[in-house]
Amino acid sequence: MKFNKLNILKIFLYLVAVHSFLVGVNLIVFPTDWMQLFGFGTITENFFKVQGGVFHIVMAVAYVLAGWRPIEYKILIVFSIAAKFLATAFLFSYFLIINPAWMILISGFGDFSMAMILLYLYKTTKELQTHG
């Protein structure tokens, strides 16, 4: 595999998918009392934690599909960029308004970084600019 921008974009989308999948699995399997280690208060109900985990796994599928066929599924790259920017806005807002947990802030910076890298790779990948 040669390292042109398209292949770098594919690899990066797969890495984003792995990240999302691992976050999802951890949200599902971590005991609720462990959430305090990440700056959250006491959580007594598992439903929303598990729902968030499943959501991350669903997003991982979208990132894999975008990386698998980026030219044919270019819209999934745009969706991935939008998802990361929306996650950034949500996380920073939640941190500032609701709960200043350190993990929320770190997650916001992580999603912002992923969004910016995806946007850069999307905008500078010639194959994506020449196909539809």
Side-chain angles (χ1 to χ4, degrees):
M1 173 186 284
K2 64 181 187 173
F3 285 96
N4 60 29
K5 284 264 175 83
L6 184 62
N7 287 333
I8 293 169
L9 174 62
K10 288 179 181 184
I11 291 167
F12 190 72
L13 282 162
Y14 291 143
L15 291 172
V16 171
V18 168
H19 169 266
S20 189
F21 179 80
L22 292 175
V23 168
V25 168
N26 284 321
L27 281 169
I28 292 167
V29 301
F30 271 11
T32 53
D33 55 335
W34 285 19
M35 297 300 285
Q36 290 178 338
L37 298 172
F38 298 99
F40 298 97
T42 303
I43 297 175
T44 58
E45 172 56 51
N46 258 346
F47 175 77
F48 290 108
K49 184 174 75 68
V50 173
Q51 182 187 37
V54 171
F55 173 77
H56 275 82
I57 292 170
V58 168
M59 290 303 299
V61 172
Y63 302 140
V64 166
L65 290 173
W68 178 47
R69 298 190 131 185
I71 293 171
E72 295 88 341
Y73 300 151
K74 184 164 64 169
I75 194 68
L76 281 178
I77 300 170
V78 174
F79 172 76
S80 299
I81 294 165
K84 287 299 177 188
F85 277 122
L86 287 168
T88 298
F90 166 73
L91 290 164
F92 286 149
S93 298
Y94 200 89
F95 177 83
L96 292 171
I97 298 167
I98 309 284
N99 181 4
W102 63 270
M103 183 53 80
I104 295 171
L105 184 62
I106 289 172
S107 296
F109 281 117
D111 276 336
F112 180 71
S113 299
M114 287 183 263
M116 292 301 291
I117 292 168
L118 283 172
L119 181 61
Y120 170 77
L121 290 170
Y122 176 74
K123 288 291 193 182
T124 60
T125 300
K126 290 179 189 173
E127 295 89 341
L128 293 173
Q129 305 312 313
T130 58
H131 291 88

